[in-house]
Amino acid sequence: MSATSTASAVPRAPQGAAYAIPLEDIDVSNPELYRNNTMGAYFERLRREDPVHYCAKSLFGPYWSVTKYKDIMQVETLPEIYSSDSRRGGVTILDTNSAVQLPMFIQMDPPQHDEHRKAVSPIVAPENLLRLESIIRRRTGEALDSLPVSEEFNWVEKVSINLTTQMLATLFDFPWEDRSKLTFWSDATLELPGEGLVDSEEHRMQIMGECAAYMTRLWNERVNAKPGADLISMMAHDDRTRNMSPEEYLGNVLLLIVGGNDTTRSSMTGGLLALHGNPGQYEKLCANPTLIASMIPEIVRWQTPLSHMRRTATQDTVLGGKNIRKGDKVVMWYVSGNRDEEAIENPNAFIIDRARPRQHLSFGFGIHRCVGNRLAEMQLRVLWEEVLQRWPKPGQLKVIGEPVRVLSPFIKGYESMRVRIDA
Amino acid sequence: MIKVTFIEYNGTVREVEVAEGTSMMEAAVGNLVPGIDGDCGGACACATCHLFVEPEWLDRLAPAEDMERSMLELAEGGGPGSRLGCQIKLSAALDGIVARTPLGQH
């Protein structure tokens, strides 16, 4: 840990494309930066020169970027000034996306937010997580046992998508043979039009309509049945959510699908990529597998599966010395705050035994903090426990070439990653 | 030094001593008391230091402020004595305080 920690204190000479353009032209919402994984240098410059940065023109209109850990924390903890309400614009920079503008509890302010959230949060209560762990472990083992050895395969498809889809199907008690629909709906919610799944916003809403019809059928079956332990039954039988509008129901369903899917998927892939790129850490892990406990939050920080969350100012205010106007779009870049050298020591390094590994922004903070964060950590922990049981040698899992990254300023993930397991 | 007693969900009792001014969350995390996480480092922003203060100590604490109350709304299994450990600063008046810790945080 100490070998490189001094290096970050020494200012490096600014260089590269991120420093070659005028400050005001920096637009960190450009999706290409995330596909090419080149956003880091732009954020580094903003943290240094203009930590709360105004961008007047982007694919998503004008917006503020909040890039420092402490400023992000300030926005997170003032929900009455920085609103999440879908009617003001919701929680992503993607204003033009009709699916993410639906009412869902992540996009509500108190008190409605608290009511809807409380209806579903028992699914990830500590007692229920203990119950789910054995199911997750069995399925993880089965998925790993079916992987080919000594030949290349796509880790995203065979491991990350496979396992997170099974998890979602369990949480919703979703018809098992149809479970790939969940992944499809999740991807269709967020993908930029023209990238393969959705052609236009109309097409997106047509797919969402199919999701709504399917989920409404499950609701109708369960609302009159004995309350089950799945998310749909929980919402159908809870006084706080049983009278939701169809839009609210679809919104909350999509929130739970996306929240439980893309994010954990990206961390399942990112964890292996991080170990592969840091052989010293991989060796340390194999020598002492109890480090999985602190490695998991470090993976979630290092990956930062959601690059940002967005808020909208409800009043004129000041942030980091900048005047924010009522109605302004304020984007908290977790991907930048998680690399802030003032908050995290040696932040660009992947270190599996950090002293305070859970002090990162990936789950958000404040009242909208990720409701499923302990479930996600458990899924990741079980994955790495089962991997090391089968393949205990450092470097035994190899990433071949560069992964293909998602074209999005919101989802920070992978389309595919080639992997080979050595015998 | 201030004495603090944590009682785990399974009945295990741990006594720790910490300096005045330390928070209950820091007292737990700094002494590896299970069931308390403190992810946000004490900013009242994650509700992962949720604990249950024993009744006889409750009225010696300053009442929870709005922020703590709204975060407690999110904590699973809230009930009598629910507080966030990061918001309880240990003073001489709290020497000997007793709190129960949950099975886990989320």
Side-chain angles (χ1 to χ4, degrees):
Chain A
M1 191 158 171
S2 58
T4 47
S5 62
T6 48
S8 61
V10 180
R12 275 187 288 133
Q15 54 193 328
Y19 291 88
I21 58 172
L23 196 56
E24 61 266 29
D25 290 351
I26 291 185
D27 170 18
V28 282
S29 75
N30 177 0
E32 291 293 343
L33 298 178
Y34 299 85
R35 167 141 298 170
N36 303 330
N37 197 29
T38 51
M39 66 288 172
Y42 293 90
F43 282 118
E44 183 191 79
R45 183 173 175 202
L46 288 183
R47 286 195 303 274
R48 217 177 266 182
E49 298 178 21
D50 195 27
V52 178
H53 170 74
Y54 189 70
C55 174
K57 231 175 88 185
S58 84
L59 199 54
F60 313 100
Y63 66 96
W64 290 96
S65 286
V66 188
T67 64
K68 297 282 292 181
Y69 190 104
K70 68 171 171 40
D71 292 331
I72 291 172
M73 197 61 131
Q74 180 174 343
V75 174
E76 295 271 35
T77 51
L78 294 170
E80 59 286 355
I81 297 178
Y82 300 100
S83 169
S84 297
D85 196 318
S86 55
R87 290 164 298 185
R88 296 181 192 269
V91 296
T92 78
I93 199 170
L94 317 165
D95 286 307
T96 48
N97 178 322
S98 37
V100 303
Q101 295 307 313
L102 285 162
M104 46 182 87
F105 66 82
I106 198 176
Q107 306 202 119
M108 293 172 184
D109 292 334
Q112 197 186 12
H113 159 267
D114 303 5
E115 298 294 306
H116 282 208
R117 178 175 169 133
K118 268 189 276 185
V120 296
S121 63
I123 195 120
V124 286
E127 296 76 16
N128 209 37
L129 290 189
L130 286 179
R131 184 182 70 82
L132 289 170
E133 181 165 340
S134 56
I135 302 174
I136 292 171
R137 189 172 300 281
R138 177 170 51 78
R139 290 195 188 138
T140 302
E142 286 166 4
L144 295 178
D145 287 338
S146 72
L147 294 175
V149 172
S150 303
E151 63 179 84
E152 280 182 41
F153 63 92
N154 180 1
W155 178 269
V156 175
E157 174 202 346
K158 300 267 189 222
V159 178
S160 311
I161 291 181
N162 183 11
L163 289 176
T164 48
T165 303
Q166 294 190 40
M167 187 72 250
L168 273 184
T170 301
L171 294 178
F172 281 95
D173 192 15
F174 195 83
W176 196 249
E177 64 284 3
D178 279 349
R179 67 185 186 279
S180 64
K181 286 181 190 295
L182 290 166
T183 318
F184 173 64
W185 293 330
S186 173
D187 293 344
T189 299
L190 287 167
E191 199 169 282
L192 297 175
E195 279 303 297
L197 278 188
V198 296
D199 309 327
S200 61
E201 286 306 315
E202 293 71 38
H203 184 214
R204 190 195 310 280
M205 286 321 280
Q206 182 196 324
I207 297 170
M208 294 303 120
E210 291 161 15
C211 171
Y214 197 110
M215 288 298 193
T216 301
R217 182 165 64 73
L218 295 183
W219 172 289
N220 290 338
E221 285 169 13
R222 290 171 198 183
V223 72
N224 296 316
K226 206 163 121 275
D230 65 281
L231 286 166
I232 297 171
S233 291
M234 287 166 77
M235 288 191 281
H237 288 275
D238 194 298
D239 286 342
R240 294 170 289 210
T241 42
R242 69 190 321 156
N243 296 316
M244 283 188 291
S245 69
E247 290 75 24
E248 284 173 334
Y249 176 52
L250 177 61
N252 279 338
V253 160
L254 291 178
L255 168 62
L256 295 164
I257 292 177
V258 172
N261 186 45
D262 271 302
T263 51
T264 315
R265 181 203 297 181
S266 302
S267 291
M268 284 180 169
T269 308
L272 177 53
L273 184 62
L275 281 172
H276 177 80
N278 295 274
Q281 300 296 314
Y282 203 157
E283 276 175 34
K284 198 158 62 174
L285 172 69
C286 292
N288 181 8
T290 64
L291 291 177
I292 289 174
S294 56
M295 176 179 77
I296 298 311
E298 174 67 350
I299 287 174
V300 177
R301 180 192 74 89
W302 189 86
Q303 176 57 33
T304 315
L306 297 179
S307 294
H308 75 267
M309 280 284 171
R310 169 262 179 96
R311 301 288 184 259
T312 306
T314 60
Q315 59 188 71
D316 292 357
T317 188
V318 177
L319 179 67
K322 298 292 181 81
N323 293 310
I324 313 277
R325 298 278 170 210
K326 178 181 178 177
D328 282 359
K329 192 191 284 198
V330 179
V331 180
M332 302 177 283
W333 291 102
Y334 295 158
V335 69
S336 174
N338 276 342
R339 295 292 184 275
D340 183 351
E341 38 288 281
E342 276 181 25
I344 296 162
E345 193 185 348
N346 203 2
N348 291 315
F350 176 74
I351 301 169
I352 66 171
D353 50 357
R354 284 182 183 275
R356 297 295 313 273
R358 278 183 163 156
Q359 221 161 323
H360 63 71
L361 295 163
S362 297
F363 293 127
F365 280 116
I367 59 168
H368 292 288
R369 183 172 166 81
C370 174
V371 71
N373 71 76
R374 294 304 191 253
L375 173 61
E377 289 182 345
M378 190 247 281
Q379 288 175 268
L380 291 164
R381 172 171 59 78
V382 170
L383 171 63
W384 284 102
E385 287 169 356
E386 295 298 313
V387 163
L388 289 183
Q389 287 272 325
R390 285 161 179 77
W391 304 295
K393 288 181 280 189
Q396 207 167 356
L397 272 59
K398 286 193 169 55
V399 176
I400 311 295
E402 272 289 300
V404 178
R405 292 179 166 85
V406 174
L407 181 76
S408 168
F410 183 59
I411 291 289
K412 187 164 161 289
Y414 308 89
E415 304 281 357
S416 62
M417 186 169 84
R418 309 297 301 169
V419 168
R420 192 183 65 236
I421 302 172
D422 288 343
Chain B
M1 296 294 271
I2 311 291
K3 199 177 89 174
V4 183
T5 302
F6 293 101
I7 307 174
E8 217 179 320
Y9 74 98
N10 61 11
T12 307
V13 175
R14 284 185 180 75
E15 286 184 3
V16 305
E17 288 208 343
V18 295
E20 201 169 332
T22 307
S23 74
M24 288 281 275
M25 180 276 283
E26 291 163 335
V29 172
N31 290 286
L32 303 177
V33 172
I36 299 291
D37 298 333
D39 291 9
C40 75
C44 196
C46 68
T48 64
C49 61
H50 179 209
L51 44 73
F52 303 89
V53 176
E54 286 288 87
E56 62 269 30
W57 292 93
L58 261 184
D59 54 6
R60 291 187 224 185
L61 303 178
E65 292 181 17
D66 286 355
M67 175 91 174
E68 183 183 349
R69 282 208 301 277
S70 66
M71 289 310 295
L72 276 169
E73 287 280 305
L74 312 185
E76 196 55 44
S82 277
R83 291 298 299 260
L84 294 183
C86 70
Q87 298 303 298
I88 302 174
K89 294 279 178 277
L90 293 163
S91 62
L94 296 176
D95 193 12
I97 190 170
V98 183
R100 294 178 180 272
T101 58
L103 171 60
Q105 306 278 343
H106 85 289

